[in-house]
Amino acid sequence: MSVKAEDGRDLTASAGRGPADRVARWTTELFAPQVLVIAMPPLVGLIAEGWAGATWGLLASALCGGIPAAVIAIGVRLGRLDSRHLVDRTKRTKPLLAAVASVVLALVLLVVLGAPDLLVATVTGMLAALAVAVPVTMWWKISFHAAVAAGTAVVFAHVLPPAPTAAVAAAMLVLVCWARVRLTHHTPAQVLAGLAVGVATTWGSLAAFGI
């Protein structure tokens, strides 16, 4: 299936088969938004609150990550979406609205059921990021890979030793942004905007909860 960029470029053809392109593709898969949103909450909950926190995290990941991932997978299978990375900006609206609904549901349940503040703040950050990025992506292809990776890095920096965590996170973010540009799925400006949204919304949400 051929995927066209907004300027008419064939993105499928533009991604080559050299070592750098293979690294970029593997990076895109490993740090896909769905992967990070599913994996991060249980790990953060386990680190901060033990097994009880991990259980709350599983609930958050199932709703915030599992439901949108399933919606996208069905769309890909039916041929309505190009891939789970939603390369075609014009096809992003319905999957992203499903993600918003899932995150709102997760946030309501976590608050009502009395989940730890850290996980409530984390999911609030997800919703805040979507509130900014979804309207933007209606007219400009902001990078959700960069936004989610940045938000994930900020959360881990709050529950792990800051200095080494920041160093690892910086390397990871550089790699993710490079991969998205390398595959011509985004411009440098689009990944930088994604980084800014992810950091600002997540940091702001944690700060609002005093974390």
Side-chain angles (χ1 to χ4, degrees), residues 87-178:
V87 176
D88 185 347
R89 181 186 61 80
T90 63
K91 301 294 181 63
R92 285 181 163 188
T93 304
K94 290 182 179 179
L96 290 178
L97 290 178
V100 170
S102 299
V103 173
V104 169
L105 175 61
L107 184 57
V108 170
L109 286 177
L110 290 174
V111 171
V112 170
L113 296 176
D117 282 351
L118 175 61
L119 286 170
V120 174
T122 298
V123 175
T124 300
M126 293 180 189
L127 184 59
L130 286 169
V132 175
V134 170
V136 171
T137 204
M138 297 298 103
W139 57 272
W140 192 63
K141 194 181 172 187
I142 191 169
S143 173
F144 281 87
H145 273 75
V148 174
T152 299
V154 170
V155 174
F156 275 113
H158 277 72
V159 297
L160 293 171
T165 303
V168 173
M172 181 266 288
L173 293 176
V174 168
L175 183 61
V176 169
C177 291
W178 165 83

Side-chain angles (χ1 to χ4, degrees), residues 14 23-24 26 28 32 34 59 69 79 93 119 122 131 136 148 162 172 183 190-191 193:
S14 65
V23 171
W26 275 105
T28 284
Q34 301 99 316
L59 173 62
T93 304
L119 286 170
T122 298
V136 171
V148 174
M172 181 266 288
L183 295 175
Q190 289 165 348
V191 295

